[in-house]
Amino acid sequence: MNNFQFSQPTVCIFGREPESAFKEQLRKRNVKKVLFHYGGGSIKKNGVYDMVSAVLKELNIETIELSGVQPNPRVTLVREGIDICRKNGIDLILAVGGGSVIDSAKGIAVGAAYDGDVWDLYIDKAGESDLKKPLIPVGVVLTIPAAGSESSPGSVLSNDEGLMKRPLNSELIIPVFAVLNPEYTFTLPVYQVACGCSDIMAHMFERYFTRQKNVDVTDRQLEANMRSMLHYSKLAQDFSDDYDIKAEVMWAGTIAHNDMLSCGRSGDWASHNIEHELSAIYDIYHGEGLSIVFPAWIRYCWKDDPERFLQFFKRVFDVDYAFSHAERAINEGIARLENYYTSLGLPIRLSQVEIGEDRLREMADKCVMHRGDSIGNFKKLTADDIYNIYRLAL
Ligand code: NZQ
Ligand code: ZN
């Protein structure tokens, strides 16, 4: 096990009727002026907008709204948000929605503390040392279990100029609190439930595929969480207003990405970067990109450490194996993983989302750009490797 430091500062307010704990968070932070940030309007249909507005009104908090965050959030709206924060002395950015809204809010927080253009921070032209601290804090009301951004240090933004999608990681943007009421997820379309589950699973796959030895505790925590997700993903689609099912998925989503399951090990993260190139150019959902990329990545990489993949497929997907027939067991495991995705209605090939061969080379080259010509920790992947993985996914 590697040495590690672990701190998880987000106050999670989990469950029904979160209003009083939500108010307490706002009161104790002495919040006076909020930027209320949200997406395309789902929160107006399911009552979440009304709940948040009522709380802000009751506490006499001055509120400026900024809506219109798109899935794969754009840096252009973030720039608008930065401008609002600077002109109005905002003291909390409240992200009400999913990963896209939260990531946009984090972008605003970090950009408001930087004198140059916020995109510099996403392409490593500037870093934490260039920020004026402290940052405006971000609070969250989550409406979709998926990205885990409600308690992660990550923010992923898209830039239509150059069709780039890039992550920023900084402890400074971990949300200070997150309201997690499973009831807010009842209105999710079944396809969004699937995309969310795929992302939650992917966050655990990325952590599971490590070269570190002697990480049994986190291996088994990951396996338990992954098995739970195998059980509850389809149920969450079929019983959209079952509180108990939605609660399991919501908490699994937070745990999957709050870094507790990374303790003592380093994750891979190549599949995430390979997927981000797909959603940058084709604007597909992150979760549907991951269900295409992961099986192809496993096909390409398993021979580098067959034992790890055999353990994964045995303990998580119940694949029985005899080590002398490793390849057969791996193929059976990949088939079971693909069946899981397919049962949720997710694609497992690029052709299913109408992506052909024409831009694979371009995406592979962009994927390693500014990253030292390779990505991934489990296996270092060059642009040629990434191109081969895209081809396996055709
Ligand atoms: O915009 P609205 O109208 O709210 O609709 C959203 C959106 O269309 C809808 N939705 C959300 N909650 C709903 C709902 N519809 C009905 N009822 C509800 N309760 O769902 C759609 C997708 O929302 P989005 O926020 O895009 O989903 P998700 O949470 O999957 O976020 C995806 C983004 O997060 C990034 C991804 O790359 C992608 O850009 N990620 C962020 C990470 C992080 N910050 O740590 C890590 C992840 O790996 C990921 O990369
Ligand atoms: Zn993800």
Side-chain angles (χ1 to χ4, degrees):
M1 200 189 291
N2 287 345
N3 292 352
F4 66 89
Q5 291 187 14
F6 175 67
S7 148
Q8 217 312 303
T10 310
V11 178
C12 291
I13 301 166
F14 193 96
R16 295 186 175 101
E17 296 171 10
E19 286 86 342
S20 62
F22 177 25
K23 281 180 218 160
E24 190 191 320
Q25 284 298 318
L26 296 168
R27 267 197 211 103
K28 82 174 195 195
R29 292 173 200 287
N30 200 20
V31 174
K32 302 274 181 242
K33 262 193 182 181
V34 157
L35 180 69
F36 179 177
H37 199 33
Y38 59 98
S42 68
I43 62 164
K44 290 203 167 160
K45 294 188 196 129
N46 60 14
V48 177
Y49 177 89
D50 292 338
M51 183 284 287
V52 171
S53 302
V55 164
L56 295 173
K57 194 169 170 204
E58 191 188 322
L59 298 184
N60 284 321
I61 293 174
E62 206 179 310
T63 302
I64 298 179
E65 289 188 19
L66 180 63
S67 63
V69 180
Q70 295 166 249
N72 301 319
R74 306 300 203 271
V75 70
T76 39
L77 191 71
V78 168
R79 291 186 184 119
E80 271 183 51
I82 293 168
D83 205 37
I84 294 173
C85 287
R86 287 197 179 133
K87 286 185 179 142
N88 296 280
I90 296 292
D91 51 24
L92 181 95
I93 305 168
L94 188 59
V96 185
S100 296
V101 175
I102 304 166
D103 287 1
S104 183
K106 290 172 171 177
I108 295 170
V110 85
Y114 174 60
D115 281 336
D117 179 42
V118 60
W119 187 247
D120 294 350
L121 297 156
Y122 287 74
I123 54 169
D124 292 333
K125 252 177 91 175
E128 278 182 10
S129 58
D130 300 301
L131 302 178
K132 289 181 232 138
K133 298 174 194 83
L135 270 62
I136 302 169
V138 173
V140 170
V141 178
L142 187 67
T143 62
I144 169 172
S149 187
E150 65 275 13
S151 59
S152 84
S155 161
V156 190
L157 293 183
S158 292
N159 192 339
D160 288 335
E161 254 175 65
L163 294 175
M164 304 280 274
K165 183 169 178 179
R166 284 290 183 267
L168 161 74
N169 276 295
S170 167
E171 277 180 23
L172 301 173
I173 53 173
I174 298 176
V176 289
F177 66 82
V179 175
L180 307 169
N181 181 351
E183 291 171 333
Y184 299 161
T185 72
F186 287 0
T187 52
L188 273 170
V190 286
Y191 195 66
Q192 284 304 331
V193 174
C195 289
C197 290
S198 166
D199 196 16
I200 293 170
M201 282 298 244
H203 294 157
M204 295 188 280
F205 298 163
E206 297 280 20
R207 290 175 166 87
Y208 199 84
F209 297 120
T210 183
R211 292 305 185 100
Q212 259 85 53
K213 301 291 175 200
N214 304 314
V215 284
D216 201 34
V217 169
T218 41
D219 268 3
R220 290 185 188 273
Q221 287 174 319
L222 283 160
E223 288 155 11
N225 216 28
M226 289 189 276
R227 288 186 72 98
S228 300
M229 283 301 298
L230 287 181
H231 181 67
Y232 286 107
S233 302
K234 187 81 184 94
L235 292 173
Q237 284 186 315
D238 293 346
F239 300 95
S240 59
D241 59 356
D242 184 312
Y243 179 88
D244 296 321
I245 292 169
K246 295 289 188 168
E248 300 289 352
V249 176
M250 196 166 218
W251 191 231
T254 299
I255 290 174
H257 205 40
N258 73 1
D259 272 345
M260 197 186 75
L261 302 178
S262 305
C263 292
R265 55 200 295 147
S266 57
D268 181 63
W269 301 103
S271 300
H272 263 69
N273 291 322
I274 294 171
E275 189 298 304
H276 286 160
E277 297 306 324
L278 295 174
S279 41
I281 291 190
Y282 296 99
D283 208 16
I284 61 171
Y285 294 116
H286 177 58
E288 66 186 349
L290 290 166
S291 62
I292 294 167
V293 170
F294 251 106
W297 179 85
I298 295 175
R299 267 192 199 94
Y300 197 75
C301 296
W302 73 267
K303 283 188 181 147
D304 281 58
D305 186 357
E307 295 264 17
R308 179 123 290 262
F309 287 89
L310 288 167
Q311 176 180 301
F312 169 72
F313 283 127
K314 182 175 186 347
R315 291 189 186 169
V316 181
F317 285 87
D318 294 324
V319 173
D320 211 355
Y321 69 88
F323 193 66
S324 54
H325 298 293
E327 183 147 17
R328 187 176 166 140
I330 296 291
N331 285 336
E332 174 60 26
I334 294 170
R336 290 187 193 189
L337 173 63
E338 290 183 336
N339 279 344
Y340 163 72
Y341 290 136
T342 304
S343 73
L344 301 177
L346 289 165
I348 52 171
R349 294 288 180 274
L350 289 168
S351 53
Q352 289 172 274
V353 288
E354 288 164 17
I355 297 178
E357 290 186 49
D358 45 329
R359 301 185 79 170
L360 301 186
R361 187 77 243 178
E362 174 192 345
M363 289 191 290
D365 290 341
K366 265 170 68 187
C367 197
V368 294
M369 204 192 282
H370 311 304
R371 287 175 171 149
D373 291 333
S374 73
I375 57 164
N377 292 315
F378 177 83
K379 179 182 173 75
K380 293 264 173 250
L381 299 175
T382 62
D384 284 346
D385 292 318
I386 296 163
Y387 176 71
N388 290 333
I389 290 171
Y390 283 134
R391 290 199 59 81
L392 281 175
L394 277 169

